[in-house]
Amino acid sequence: MRGAASTTCPYCGVGCGVLAGVDAEGIARVKGDPAHASNHGRLCVKGAALGDTVGLEGRLLHPMLRGADGALQRAGWDEAIRRVADGFARIVAEHGPDAVAFYVSGQLLTEDYYVVNKLAKGYLGTANIDTNSRLCMSSAVAGHKRAFGEDVVPGCYEDLEQADVVVLVGSNTAWCHPVLFQRIAAARERREGPRLVVIDPRFTATCEPADLHLPIRPGTDVRLFNGLLSFLFRHGVIDPAFIDAHTDGFNQALAAAEAEAGDPAEVARRCGLQEADVLAFYRLFARHEKVVTLFSQGVNQSTSGTDKVNAIINCHLATARIGRSGMGPFSITGQPNAMGGREVGGLANMLAAHLELQDPVHRDIVQSYWQSPHVADKPGLKAVELFDAIGEGRVKAVWIMATNPVVSLPDADRVRAALARCELVVASDIVERTDTNAFAHVLLPALGWGEKNGTVTNSERRISRQRPFLSAPGEARADWRVVCDVARQMGFGHGFAFEHPRDIFVEHAGLTAFRNHEAATDGLPAALRRLHLGALARLDRQAYDALDPVQWPVTEAGSGTPRLFADGAFSHADGRARFVATVSRAPAHAVDREYPLVLNTGRIRDQWHTMTRTARSPRLTGHIGEPFVDMHPHDALRSGVRDGELARVSSRWGAMVARVRHGGGILAGSVFAPIHWSDQFASDARVGGVVNPAVDPVSGEPEFKHTPVRIEPFPVRWYGFALSRRPLPASALSYWTLIRGDRFLRYELANRERPADSEAWARAWLGVDDAQADWLAFEDRETGVYRAAHVRDGRIESCLFLAAQPHLPSRQWLSSLFGRERLDETDRMALLSGEPPGGGGDPGPVVCSCFGVGRNTICDAIRANDLDLPAQITAELRAGGNCGSCIPELRRLIAETRATTEA
């Protein structure tokens, strides 16, 4: 690679180091950075496929303004900046500062976050700036602040390797944070430990290697951990000296725990668990001092998410298992810079530098440092209520950056309606067409990964650099620069005279030092914070460009701090931690006869957010290509739907259509659907439109894990799929999903009407209007089967397979034909069968996306070579040898194949 840059992956909060550059043929190449402490050179399949995602197809390359006729027209930057600045200034003048808002993203760099927060809170005077991090991390933030006095993750990734017990709560770590999960797995192989406990209603890939899986009833986590606190107290495992010296509130927290969860048998009954399993978990926690409890969205995304976080932290405070090697509560972040955004006040209820917006002393510190005309003096609107306010007309202008709320927010149809009536919608994005951008009056082209320059902070407080290795395409600009341009146009130039991201970073770092200096000088311990970057405020541009990853707080010598609170000193004014008395609460909306099933939502292994990046990579679309609803076979039978067919998932808030599947890991009474699909990639699969808008009363985080729904058949006359080298007009069909392949597009299809003339319809739909075209076709009217293929100059151009039932040929072999310049005669003869000549050679659905290894290939190797370990499959086929996220599936295939063979 030429021009290789040491940078950071833009996906999850693990924050993996990446070496990225462009080869001699101009192709982007990436590999893991072995020098980065977060991943030591390992990448998951999403990170490894980053080079596939940096092309310019679909990019927003120029500012666009929507005219009176509703059409977007290209504009110059000066005109676009004026439109934004004048629009915001006019609305503030007419309606006050709280009539404008910003909705930003954990995809932004810290420098971007800092300037937009400064503009909103310090210069416009509104705290109406919130972020999509509200949707994933705000309950953890609120829990940390209640317990520690500050939003701090006390441990580091090494603790997961050094622990004797790792408890994963509400986290499918194997799929959502695979590099971190592989660090745990590697530690288990190196020594006899750590023991692994997984607490999750679903049996996921993370559960495969676990020593204990607790399939907890959704919403009962507080009771389970209150029971643990009671158990620890009754068995003398607590640390009274630590509790007395360094905490407050233990007696109240214990009394609440004892009142509702003192009896393990009752805890088990209420949580839907076996008493023996609950006691096994409690005893593991009690017997091993080195315990890490890692939690994620299954905890946070709840109307009692903050209480769940504090119930977990209570158990670690009670046992003094915090701040030391191999122990502590650990919030694993969903986005690459959710923590960096929180550092600079990117949430509506926070100030920069971990200061409190409602504290007048804190506001004075920030305003004094910024020398700004204002500092917002009351919390702004959190994400869900922000879009409610837009819909009600109270907020009249919103600037959306690097996020897609029409897909990702709950009650998403209401969000769509709100934006449709908003007076001024500005969107900064790297792609032109998204569900949200369809409502923008101003579209601003941003830099993407590989073009950006700045910093991010991962889940273990490690600040890393994102460095550019690609030139800015078209007229795209850095988000921080665009915000500064708008601020200067509004007359705030003195506060936004930044020329380089380094200038912003050192101001941010300087504020953390200024805050602690002011607090110490004035005797204000409440303003002292662990977030301290003072040593980095002295970086010149060269030092900033060369900055190595470092964990805050950063010492005066410039070194990082892996763990916090080992000294028992916390960030509350008195230096003591707080126990929080927590009481179980049911989810906001209960199931009933009309909506009898609980919808749980989340990620899948190879996709990210709303797929604007990951859907560009054929490697990442091969594993799971279309939206699905996973449900127990008994629930499917009662709902009148079958595996492989389409179903409508409906709630009181909206509906979606997805493919039914029986994954085998779902409890009766629950269903699961992934969050990723938007109107750009599927006909009707926005799960956000189904999810209820209830939020945690403390954090404002939505309840994505518990929405009552019903499942009904989605009747169609035919199912099908098409592969084509060019886009097809799928939008007229009842159901479609678009999947990018290698040199082709794949469409999964269904329709409620059969064409009167299948061949005429197929030719027209595939765009084959030449009567002399090389056209192969087969039809069986009695069974409803129709198959056709268009070949040009010996090369396949498109094919279409239709049937009355969803049972159709494998797409894998047909997909491989698009990589050939010419079909040989045997392939041509087999084309309409959909199967390779002789019936062999079909690799089956992709299991290992890193190396493109299919299910059939793996099962054949297991049978032929009597394989019984994933490592043997890796040696034979390479599958599982890169990111390791398919290893749980390899274990399952070994078990299934051997069972079938023995039978």
Side-chain angles (χ1 to χ4, degrees):
M1 291 185 292
R2 55 183 169 83
S6 174
T7 184
T8 310
C9 179
Y11 291 126
C12 77
V14 175
C16 294
V18 177
L19 298 177
V22 179
D23 68 15
E25 297 177 351
I27 299 172
R29 303 291 185 186
V30 300
K31 62 180 180 180
D33 184 352
H36 199 289
S38 294
N39 60 314
H40 303 293
R42 186 184 286 274
L43 292 177
C44 76
V45 66
K46 291 189 292 291
L50 276 167
D52 300 346
T53 70
V54 296
L56 298 186
E57 181 183 352
R59 281 293 295 267
L60 177 63
L61 298 175
H62 310 281
M64 307 281 283
L65 301 180
R66 198 173 299 278
D69 62 354
L72 285 169
Q73 300 292 333
R74 179 174 169 178
W77 268 110
D78 289 347
E79 184 182 4
I81 294 296
R82 282 195 303 272
R83 176 78 71 90
V84 177
D86 293 352
F88 269 66
R90 176 184 57 79
I91 289 170
V92 169
E94 293 177 2
H95 304 283
D98 289 335
V100 300
F102 300 82
Y103 186 63
V104 297
S105 166
Q107 305 291 296
L108 294 179
L109 304 184
T110 301
E111 292 77 3
D112 304 322
Y113 253 126
Y114 182 86
V115 293
V116 70
N117 184 63
K118 183 178 183 182
L119 173 61
K121 290 174 181 160
Y123 285 79
L124 297 181
T126 181
N128 285 345
I129 171 171
D130 215 45
T131 167
N132 60 9
S133 300
R134 178 73 61 190
L135 311 184
C136 58
M137 298 310 304
S138 55
S139 292
V141 173
H144 290 157
K145 289 170 70 174
R146 291 203 302 189
F148 308 140
E150 186 177 0
D151 175 22
V152 174
V153 174
C156 61
Y157 294 160
E158 287 183 353
D159 292 330
L160 295 165
E161 299 166 318
Q162 296 166 355
D164 293 323
V165 177
V166 172
V167 184
L168 303 178
V169 192
S171 172
N172 186 7
T173 320
W175 275 22
C176 299
H177 302 94
V179 169
L180 205 56
F181 189 73
Q182 289 308 310
R183 287 186 65 165
I184 298 171
R188 284 163 61 85
E189 291 178 2
R190 285 194 302 269
R191 58 187 181 89
E192 291 188 5
R195 302 288 296 279
L196 185 61
V197 179
V198 179
I199 302 171
D200 195 316
R202 294 193 300 144
F203 187 90
T204 67
T206 302
C207 303
E208 290 278 353
D211 299 290
L212 178 63
H213 171 224
L214 300 182
I216 191 169
R217 179 173 291 131
T220 60
D221 308 68
V222 169
R223 187 178 301 274
L224 181 68
F225 280 92
N226 274 347
L228 175 59
L229 181 64
S230 172
F231 183 92
L232 296 171
F233 173 74
R234 294 185 179 198
H235 289 77
V237 185
I238 65 167
D239 188 327
F242 180 87
I243 292 170
D244 291 345
H246 302 296
T247 73
D248 281 328
F250 173 72
N251 290 335
Q252 294 91 328
L254 179 63
E258 291 268 68
E260 77 166 19
D263 178 7
E266 180 65 7
V267 169
R269 188 182 70 81
R270 293 292 192 95
C271 294
L273 301 170
Q274 297 295 317
E275 181 182 0
D277 290 341
V278 170
L279 288 171
F281 165 49
Y282 288 176
R283 287 166 182 152
L284 270 176
F285 197 105
R287 290 171 181 167
H288 297 275
E289 183 182 35
K290 289 192 170 186
V291 179
V292 172
T293 307
L294 182 148
F295 58 92
S296 191
Q297 317 310 2
V299 168
N300 297 331
Q301 291 178 331
S302 165
T303 48
S304 57
T306 306
D307 282 350
K308 292 179 183 181
V309 171
N310 285 114
I312 291 169
I313 293 174
N314 285 347
C315 296
H316 283 272
L317 288 175
T319 52
R321 295 174 183 176
I322 190 166
R324 292 178 287 147
S325 171
M327 63 185 74
F330 200 113
S331 162
I332 181 68
T333 311
Q335 293 194 84
N337 202 31
M339 187 174 287
R342 285 137 54 189
E343 292 164 12
V344 300
L347 291 167
N349 55 321
M350 299 171 64
L351 284 174
H354 280 189
L355 292 173
E356 297 299 325
L357 191 144
Q358 292 167 287
D359 189 323
V361 172
H362 291 201
R363 294 198 302 270
D364 287 347
I365 289 172
V366 173
Q367 187 170 5
S368 175
Y369 183 79
W370 279 348
Q371 293 295 292
S372 61
H374 316 280
V375 165
D377 60 2
K378 64 180 184 297
L381 298 168
K382 298 169 185 171
V384 171
E385 60 188 2
L386 169 59
F387 284 88
D388 287 346
I390 293 171
E392 294 161 7
R394 290 184 286 123
V395 170
K396 299 178 183 299
V398 62
W399 190 345
I400 299 167
M401 298 182 184
T403 188
N404 197 1
V406 172
V407 181
S408 57
L409 275 168
D411 199 6
D413 291 342
R414 188 172 178 181
V415 174
R416 182 159 56 186
L419 290 179
R421 66 163 296 177
C422 188
E423 190 172 323
L424 176 60
V425 178
V426 181
S428 296
D429 212 323
I430 66 169
V431 296
E432 182 175 344
R433 295 185 60 187
T434 72
D435 294 36
T436 298
N437 290 354
F439 299 94
H441 301 101
V442 183
L443 277 178
L444 303 175
L447 298 181
W449 180 84
E451 302 150 7
K452 290 183 175 185
N453 189 9
T455 58
V456 293
T457 307
N458 74 357
S459 296
E460 59 170 353
R461 295 172 283 105
R462 189 178 301 278
I463 299 168
S464 298
R465 291 278 278 108
Q466 272 199 18
R467 296 181 174 93
F469 65 96
L470 299 169
S471 300
E475 297 181 271
R477 292 183 180 178
D479 289 300
W480 68 264
R481 180 184 169 190
V482 177
V483 173
C484 290
D485 289 343
V486 170
R488 286 192 283 263
Q489 182 69 30
M490 297 181 76
F492 305 137
H494 62 286
F496 296 87
F498 304 113
E499 297 296 331
H500 188 275
R502 171 263 171 197
D503 304 337
I504 305 167
F505 182 82
V506 298
E507 181 174 303
H508 154 53
L511 177 54
T512 68
F514 178 82
R515 172 210 60 211
N516 277 4
H517 177 266
E518 292 293 291
T521 301
D522 296 337
L524 301 169
L528 288 169
R529 290 292 182 269
R530 294 302 182 111
L531 172 61
H532 198 304
L533 309 176
L536 303 183
R538 300 187 292 270
L539 297 177
D540 59 21
R541 189 172 296 187
Q542 183 177 6
Y544 173 80
D545 287 343
L547 180 65
D548 288 327
V550 62
Q551 289 171 280
W552 62 258
V554 181
T555 68
E556 283 303 307
S559 58
T561 307
R563 299 175 184 85
L564 292 170
F565 306 142
D567 58 359
F570 296 88
S571 297
H572 283 293
D574 58 5
R576 299 167 73 86
R578 301 286 190 271
F579 285 89
V580 177
T582 58
V583 178
S584 294
R585 295 196 312 274
H589 299 283
V591 296
D592 56 26
R593 292 184 64 183
E594 188 175 4
Y595 298 101
L597 301 170
V598 172
L599 171 65
N600 179 6
T601 69
R603 296 184 194 165
I604 59 173
R605 192 186 77 187
D606 294 354
Q607 293 300 328
W608 174 255
H609 281 199
T610 61
M611 296 168 55
T612 48
R613 181 188 301 279
T614 47
R616 300 167 66 90
S617 171
R619 260 194 286 181
L620 301 181
T621 57
H623 183 238
I624 297 175
E626 65 178 322
F628 65 87
V629 55
D630 190 9
M631 57 192 307
H632 194 280
H634 292 172
D635 291 326
L637 183 64
R638 283 190 287 267
S639 301
V641 298
R642 292 187 291 186
D643 187 47
E645 295 182 346
L646 295 174
R648 180 178 293 279
V649 184
S650 304
S651 73
R652 292 183 176 84
W653 297 272
M656 62 174 286
V657 177
R659 186 86 62 178
V660 175
R661 62 182 286 185
H662 303 323
I666 200 86
L667 293 173
S670 293
V671 301
F672 173 85
I675 63 173
H676 307 290
W677 275 268
S678 70
D679 286 352
Q680 311 307 309
F681 300 104
S683 52
D684 188 13
R686 290 164 50 255
V687 73
V690 182
V691 173
N692 78 89
V695 299
D696 181 287
V698 180
S699 70
E701 183 157 350
E703 189 149 65
F704 284 104
K705 303 296 186 183
H706 195 288
T707 297
V709 296
R710 65 170 177 261
I711 309 290
E712 301 167 298
F714 184 78
V716 295
R717 296 290 301 280
W718 59 260
Y719 291 86
F721 68 88
L723 310 177
S724 174
R725 294 189 185 274
R726 61 181 185 82
L728 298 172
S731 59
L733 300 177
S734 304
Y735 171 87
W736 60 271
T737 301
L738 171 62
I739 304 127
R740 182 180 294 276
D742 186 7
R743 286 172 276 194
F744 67 92
L745 298 172
R746 173 178 142 211
Y747 295 83
E748 294 294 326
L749 310 167
N751 204 41
R752 289 184 163 174
E753 300 294 333
R754 284 198 66 87
D757 184 333
S758 297
E759 178 150 339
W761 179 85
R763 279 179 173 269
W765 194 73
L766 293 174
V768 184
D769 52 11
D770 182 359
Q772 304 304 312
D774 191 353
W775 176 262
L776 310 177
F778 166 81
E779 182 171 18
D780 184 337
R781 291 178 181 272
E782 193 169 320
T783 60
V785 171
Y786 180 82
R787 298 177 180 186
H790 177 212
V791 179
R792 177 182 293 150
D793 297 328
R795 188 179 80 153
I796 186 170
E797 291 294 316
S798 59
C799 61
L800 175 67
F801 286 68
L802 309 179
Q805 300 296 325
H807 310 297
L808 291 153
S810 167
R811 286 63 158 168
Q812 305 308 120
W813 176 72
L814 289 165
S815 298
S816 71
L817 300 182
F818 284 79
R820 305 182 191 181
E821 284 305 310
R822 291 188 65 85
L823 299 178
D824 61 36
E825 192 58 32
T826 56
D827 287 335
R828 182 184 172 91
M829 292 175 63
L831 186 54
L832 294 185
S833 74
E835 298 179 358
D842 179 3
V846 171
V847 173
C848 175
S849 298
C850 294
F851 298 114
V853 187
R855 177 188 177 94
N856 295 347
T857 303
I858 293 168
C859 293
D860 289 345
I862 294 170
R863 282 188 290 266
N865 301 291
D866 196 25
L867 307 181
D868 57 10
L869 294 172
Q872 294 171 325
I873 296 176
T874 302
E876 185 77 19
L877 303 172
R878 301 176 70 195
N882 183 39
C883 75
S885 57
C886 66
I887 288 176
E889 198 164 348
L890 299 183
R891 287 196 184 94
R892 189 162 60 250
L893 289 178
I894 289 169
E896 291 174 359
T897 304
R898 293 179 71 86
T900 302
T901 303
E902 290 168 6

